[in-house]
């Protein structure tokens, strides 16, 4: 094979290395945080709840984004001579799956808010009574965005940007396509998620027809908890995640704005498990149990009585010997 005509050496340029190095270290930290979270998921059955499936699906997309980054980082770090056909396929995968995985995250969180709203308003287990609808929602969320990306490429509405020695990117060809992509990837899912969240909060705050003060207090307490949990999670998510999808249709990832958006996105991936675990009481309880166990073991070891050595011989001799030594 003639390397000059049949393959291409793929490496990071110096400029790209400056951009990708901080992301690399952030991704290492994010991987450690996610592994700790999933170890907790495996060990403690109390956190394996069907009602948390959307959050777990969201965190799985985080893991896939980390996997994607490490695969393509190593792919360029090895400086391999890659055949052009394989290089093109890898470039498309690199460009598509970054945008695809970030896109489905917004719809996963929308599905989470819709299910939460239905549970609060109708007071029934959505995940048990609407099992088929949940499965259909999963299928639509995972496949429709991927199909839409393929249609955009096949229709010539989105072009592959393949700079030499840098990350591949997928950019819409016109302003109208960019605005349509922005509408379906950000405006619609985020707006609907916030609407369902506000409707849920409004329904919880409404105490009409409830005569028992205890029920009113319990509902208001849950209302305050929901406000804190939702506001913290969505604030972190919107601040760190939004720039990536807002910038993507207009700037390449290697530009200064694109680089900042990528860094914020991977910081969001790092803090996602921390925020979810910190806001859910089940995770706090699961981590409290081993802490209490260790504390009990430590106290037990401290309280073990020291064995007393009994000396042989008459007791009066022992006392006399002790008094003489003093």
């Amino acid at each position: 094979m003639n390397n000059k005509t049949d393959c291409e050496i793929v490496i990071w340029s110096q400029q790209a290395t400056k951009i990708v190095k901080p992301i690399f270290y952030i991704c290492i930290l994010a991987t450690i945080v996610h592994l700790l979270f999933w170890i907790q998921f495996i060990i403690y059955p109390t956190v394996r709840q069907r009602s948390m499936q959307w959050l777990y699906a969201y965190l799985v997309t985080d893991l896939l984004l980390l996997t994607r980054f490490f695969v393509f980082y190593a792919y360029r770090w090895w400086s391999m001579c890659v055949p052009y056909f394989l290089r093109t396929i890898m470039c498309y995968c690199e460009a598509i799956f970054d945008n695809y995985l970030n896109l489905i995250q917004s719809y996963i969180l929308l599905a989470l808010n819709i299910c939460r709203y239905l549970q609060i308003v109708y007071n029934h287990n959505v995940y048990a009574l609407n099992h088929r609808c949940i499965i259909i929602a999963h299928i639509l969320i995972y496949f429709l965005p991927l199909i839409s990306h393929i249609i955009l490429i096949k229709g010539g509405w989105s072009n592959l940007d393949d700079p030499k020695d840098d990350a591949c990117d997928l950019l819409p060809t016109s302003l109208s396509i960019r605005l349509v992509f922005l509408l379906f990837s950000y405006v619609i899912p985020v707006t609907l998620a916030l609407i369902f969240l506000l409707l849920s909060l409004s329904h919880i705050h409404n105490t009409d027809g409830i005569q028992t003060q205890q029920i009113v207090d319990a509902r208001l307490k849950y209302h305050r908890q929901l406000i804190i949990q939702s506001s913290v999670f969505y604030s972190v998510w919107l601040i760190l995640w939004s720039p990536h999808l807002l910038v993507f249709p207009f700037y390449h990832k290697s530009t200064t704005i694109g680089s900042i958006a990528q860094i914020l996105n991977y910081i969001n991936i790092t803090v996602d498990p921390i925020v979810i675990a910190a806001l859910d009481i089940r995770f706090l309880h699961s981590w409290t149990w081993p802490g209490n166990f260790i504390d009990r073991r430590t106290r037990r070891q401290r309280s073990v009585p020291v064995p007393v050595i009994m000396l042989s011989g008459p007791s009066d001799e022992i006392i006399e010997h002790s008094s003489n030594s003093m």
Side-chain angles (χ1 to χ4, degrees):
M1 176 181 289
N2 187 349
N3 291 338
K4 293 184 178 180
T5 58
D6 296 329
C7 68
E8 178 184 359
I9 297 178
V10 181
I11 59 174
W12 291 108
S13 65
Q14 291 184 353
Q15 181 64 28
T17 302
K18 294 179 181 179
I19 296 172
V20 80
K21 275 293 182 181
I23 299 176
F24 175 74
Y25 295 123
I26 294 172
C27 287
I28 292 177
L29 178 60
T31 303
I32 296 172
V33 173
H34 276 267
L35 286 177
L36 292 175
F37 180 92
W38 289 106
I39 289 173
Q40 187 181 11
F41 173 83
I42 294 171
I43 294 176
Y44 302 108
T46 55
V47 300
R48 297 197 294 268
Q49 303 293 330
R50 185 179 297 180
S51 59
M52 299 181 68
Q53 60 182 274
W54 291 115
L55 287 176
Y56 292 140
Y58 175 84
L59 291 177
V60 168
T61 60
D62 279 349
L63 288 177
L64 293 175
L65 282 167
L66 292 173
T67 303
R68 169 202 165 274
F69 175 82
F70 286 123
V71 167
F72 289 104
Y73 180 86
Y75 158 70
R76 289 184 174 85
W77 182 73
W78 283 334
S79 302
M80 299 181 297
C81 192
V82 183
Y84 286 117
F85 178 72
L86 180 60
R87 159 69 176 156
T88 303
I89 294 176
M90 297 271 302
C91 196
Y92 271 110
C93 291
E94 182 181 19
I96 290 174
F97 281 101
D98 183 31
N99 302 319
Y100 162 74
L101 291 171
N102 279 282
L103 172 60
I104 66 175
Q105 283 189 337
S106 60
Y107 283 96
I108 287 173
L109 293 181
L110 171 59
L112 170 66
N113 277 278
I114 293 175
C115 290
R116 177 183 296 172
Y117 169 77
L118 294 175
Q119 279 190 302
I120 292 173
V121 173
Y122 297 102
N123 195 25
H124 68 272
N125 191 342
V126 177
Y127 300 96
L129 299 177
N130 303 94
H131 183 64
R132 292 183 179 180
C133 293
I134 298 294
I135 295 176
I136 294 173
H138 276 286
I139 294 174
L140 293 176
I141 288 174
Y142 304 144
F143 284 97
L144 285 182
L146 184 60
I147 294 172
S148 66
H149 275 83
I150 296 174
I151 292 174
L152 287 173
I153 295 172
K154 289 292 185 180
W157 298 311
S158 185
N159 289 334
L160 181 67
D161 190 2
D162 183 12
K164 184 175 178 57
D165 303 333
D166 205 341
C168 299
D169 204 356
L170 201 63
L171 297 176
T173 56
S174 64
L175 179 60
S176 58
I177 298 298
R178 293 170 183 172
L179 294 176
V180 170
F181 183 88
L182 200 61
L183 177 67
F184 284 96
S185 65
Y186 186 85
V187 177
I188 291 178
V190 170
T191 302
L192 289 177
L194 292 176
I195 288 174
F196 279 102
L197 176 61
L198 292 175
L199 289 174
S200 300
L201 297 177
S202 176
H203 182 82
I204 293 172
H205 191 66
N206 183 14
T207 59
D208 294 341
I210 302 177
Q211 303 297 328
T212 307
Q213 184 63 35
Q214 185 177 2
I215 298 177
V216 174
D217 294 339
R219 173 169 287 189
L220 290 177
K221 181 180 179 181
Y222 179 70
H223 173 66
R224 288 191 295 267
Q225 292 175 348
L226 189 61
I227 289 177
I228 295 173
Q229 293 176 2
S230 300
S231 60
V232 171
F233 182 77
Y234 279 98
S235 296
V236 173
W237 178 67
L238 287 174
I239 291 171
L240 297 177
W241 171 85
S242 295
H244 182 76
L245 281 186
L246 292 174
V247 165
F248 154 68
F250 305 97
Y251 298 93
H252 189 275
K253 291 183 176 67
S254 62
T255 61
T256 302
I257 296 178
S259 302
I260 295 173
Q262 282 192 88
I263 292 173
L264 291 176
N265 189 35
Y266 283 103
I267 292 175
N268 180 58
I269 292 174
T270 306
V271 301
D272 276 340
I274 300 174
V275 175
I276 291 174
L279 294 178
D280 196 303
I281 194 67
R282 287 166 289 194
F283 286 96
L284 296 178
H285 285 166
S286 65
W287 281 114
T288 302
W289 183 87
N292 293 337
F293 176 78
I294 295 172
D295 184 60
R296 288 196 300 269
R297 293 284 296 181
T298 305
R299 291 182 180 180
R300 186 178 301 174
Q301 291 177 358
R302 291 177 179 176
S303 61
V304 172
V306 178
V308 179
I309 301 176
M310 300 299 295
L311 299 177
S312 60
S315 58
D316 55 335
E317 293 181 3
I318 298 173
I319 297 172
E320 182 182 356
H321 177 74
S322 300
S323 59
N324 293 333
S325 63
M326 296 174 64

